[in-house]
Amino acid sequence: MTNDSLATQAVAAGPMTAAPPSFDGQGWLFVINLTTFTAGFYLMLMFIAWQAYHIGRNRKRDGWRDPVTLWRLTGLLMATGLCLRCGAEAFNLWSWDARFPEQSARALEFKRFIDPFAWGFGMAGLALFSLSARGLVPQLRRQPFPVDMWASLPMLWRPAAVVALTFVASIGVVTFR
């Protein structure tokens, strides 16, 4: 990207702000966005790895059309879309620096290249969810049993720590930038 790109010119001509002008000087809003997109990227990356591990680990027991595999693939595709979208936006926000318009413009352009892929993965997950519903819903209703989600609550400590750490990092960036 060169100085004559429209994105570089737009960033260079804009105000010298610590955050993109769309935040209108609201540091707290920048912190929230930086936290949610950064944490979203890392959490979705963790989820993708977890699902891929379980799909691979159980590939001999669970066929590609088994309900559990379809459920895992749906989550994997949607998480991949979210991971790409959150990652691109987090990269854009972390890269923003009005003093270096080419860097900021590159991040803006990168985000635009990633967005269609994120959309594609999200739509593929939604399509798989929709297509598998006819077979999964009766299967899930066949033997109803209560799901004790609270027993899995301790599993959320690690993701909560990721959110807390990204929140602290975001405050640090906004404060010291």
Side-chain angles (χ1 to χ4, degrees):
M1 186 164 290
T2 61
N3 286 335
D4 60 340
S5 82
L6 294 175
T8 302
Q9 290 174 23
V11 174
M16 294 295 288
T17 58
S22 59
F23 288 100
D24 200 27
Q26 303 294 325
W28 65 270
L29 186 57
F30 186 58
V31 166
I32 297 299
N33 276 267
L34 199 56
T35 300
T36 55
F37 285 111
T38 304
F41 169 72
Y42 285 115
L43 293 174
M44 291 303 106
L45 201 58
M46 289 166 57
F47 183 82
I48 290 166
W50 183 58
Q51 289 295 23
Y53 169 76
H54 285 288
I55 289 170
R57 183 174 144 211
N58 296 301
R59 71 184 175 279
K60 291 182 181 175
R61 181 174 54 173
D62 302 331
W64 283 107
R65 293 175 51 190
D66 285 353
V68 69
T69 303
L70 293 173
W71 173 73
R72 287 182 175 131
L73 282 173
T74 300
L76 181 76
L77 288 168
M78 290 186 171
T80 301
L82 276 168
C83 183
L84 288 172
R85 180 64 186 97
C86 288
E89 187 62 40
F91 178 70
N92 176 48
L93 295 175
W94 283 99
S95 297
W96 176 264
D97 194 337
R99 297 170 301 173
F100 303 102
E102 283 188 12
Q103 169 187 309
S104 298
R106 250 186 249 114
L108 287 166
E109 186 178 17
F110 174 74
K111 182 173 76 164
R112 295 299 174 222
F113 277 112
I114 295 298
D115 282 346
F117 292 103
W119 181 87
F121 277 103
M123 287 294 122
L126 187 59
L128 184 59
F129 179 80
S130 298
L131 292 173
S132 66
R134 181 178 280 176
L136 281 178
V137 170
Q139 185 75 17
L140 291 171
R141 287 186 177 148
R142 190 169 288 156
Q143 184 178 353
F145 57 91
V147 177
D148 185 12
M149 293 186 306
W150 298 113
S152 300
L153 192 59
M155 290 176 54
L156 295 180
W157 283 112
R158 191 173 299 153
V162 169
V163 173
L165 289 172
T166 56
F167 182 66
V168 170
S170 299
I171 290 173
V173 161
V174 172
T175 303
F176 297 112
R177 188 180 270 182

